[in-house]
Amino acid sequence: MSSPGEWYAELPPITKLYGTTCVLLTLATQFQLLKPYLLVLDWGAVMYNFEIWRLVSNFAFLGGFGLPFAIRLIMIARYGVNLEKATYEGRTADYAFMLVFGMITLLIGSAFIPFMRMPVYSSTLVFMLVYVWSRNNPDQSVSLMGFLKIKAFWMPWALLAFTALMGGSPLPDLFGILVGHLYYFLTSIHPRAGGMDLIRTPQFFKKFIDKTYGGYGYVNPNYTAPAAQPRVFQGRGQRLGDN
């Protein structure tokens, strides 16, 4: 069994960066090194005071220590890590761009759709990760709250229902599902149906990630390639009667 330090060192880079930032921002506000108000999305402060960091900080501020903070952090550690290690193995830039796509989409929604405006979108972005993971692993069995086993495909909806039953607003989770579905549709469903690949990670972004992390993408050190299947005879056939 690996130590906490070894576990942290083996985390894939983008999920490690995101999760670490979430923890550090919560620690900074808990120890009063930062005022929470400085981290939330305030369009007035962005437009008139040029506090442009709010466009990013609101996605990494999970609030104070408590159950909601712990649940979101577990989601990042479990589903974000698995998504980057497995589905996006060797494609770190694509994984990072997925998060950027989600952030930009939510910011556009916040700017132009009044009922989508919220001070923080961290929970929404985390829920987008969970949704994309569930679509890439639809048949995997997952345990909900430790006692109910369901297919991963239904997990985001079950978590949304649980939030509503506990008296919380389901809107942040719902927005995460919608943005996650938009991304999955544009990158997976639409191209498989014969449509154009509408979202591609820009080359400059790939080069930046490659330069930052010193490689073409994260490679899972525990990944084992499947054994090669024996090939059957593939000679050319000849119809009866041909010379």
Side-chain angles (χ1 to χ4, degrees):
M1 184 176 181
S2 60
S3 66
E6 292 172 336
W7 173 83
Y8 181 78
E10 292 177 358
L11 291 176
I14 304 303
T15 307
K16 179 192 288 187
L17 174 63
Y18 182 47
T20 302
T21 303
C22 291
V23 172
L24 290 178
L25 288 182
T26 294
L27 285 172
T29 56
Q30 290 293 106
F31 288 101
Q32 299 182 352
L33 300 176
L34 279 176
K35 294 182 179 180
Y37 170 72
L38 293 175
L39 303 175
V40 303
L41 180 60
D42 183 333
W43 284 107
V46 171
M47 299 295 294
Y48 301 112
N49 297 334
F50 301 103
E51 297 177 2
I52 59 175
W53 67 81
R54 294 176 182 270
L55 298 175
V56 178
S57 63
N58 80 92
F59 290 103
F61 181 48
L62 294 175
F65 289 119
L67 184 59
F69 170 84
I71 291 175
R72 297 311 183 212
L73 204 60
I74 290 172
M75 287 180 175
I76 295 172
R78 179 172 298 177
Y79 304 112
V81 168
N82 184 273
L83 197 60
E84 187 174 356
K85 278 188 172 184
T87 305
Y88 287 88
E89 181 179 14
R91 298 190 294 137
T92 300
D94 292 340
Y95 178 78
F97 191 71
M98 176 191 67
L99 292 175
V100 172
F101 172 85
M103 293 166 67
I104 292 175
T105 304
L106 289 168
L107 288 174
I108 293 174
S110 174
F112 296 102
I113 305 177
F115 70 86
M116 281 191 67
R117 290 175 186 166
M118 298 185 296
V120 291
Y121 286 93
S122 53
S123 293
T124 305
L125 189 64
V126 172
F127 224 80
M128 174 192 173
L129 280 177
V130 173
Y131 181 83
V132 174
W133 176 84
S134 73
R135 292 305 304 262
N136 282 281
N137 303 272
D139 296 323
Q140 183 169 329
S141 180
V142 295
S143 177
L144 187 65
M145 303 305 166
F147 63 90
L148 178 63
K149 284 190 175 295
I150 59 174
K151 295 290 187 181
F153 179 86
W154 299 108
M155 188 182 67
W157 301 101
L159 291 174
L160 184 148
F162 179 77
T163 298
L165 289 173
M166 294 296 293
S169 172
L171 289 181
D173 297 352
L174 180 61
F175 295 151
I177 289 175
L178 293 176
V179 174
H181 184 73
L182 176 62
Y183 176 82
Y184 185 76
F185 175 82
L186 294 175
T187 58
S188 297
I189 298 177
H190 186 61
R192 285 204 301 262
M196 294 178 59
D197 189 358
L198 299 176
I199 297 180
R200 291 185 179 180
T201 306
Q203 285 300 317
F204 77 88
F205 192 83
K206 288 184 177 181
K207 291 179 180 179
F208 170 75
I209 296 296
D210 175 46
K211 183 178 180 180
T212 302
Y213 293 105
Y216 293 102
Y218 173 84
V219 177
N220 183 1
N222 298 317
Y223 174 76
T224 302
Q229 297 296 322
R231 299 179 64 183
V232 298
F233 174 73
Q234 293 182 340
R236 295 181 60 188
Q238 188 175 27
R239 292 184 299 176
L240 292 175
D242 290 347
N243 293 324

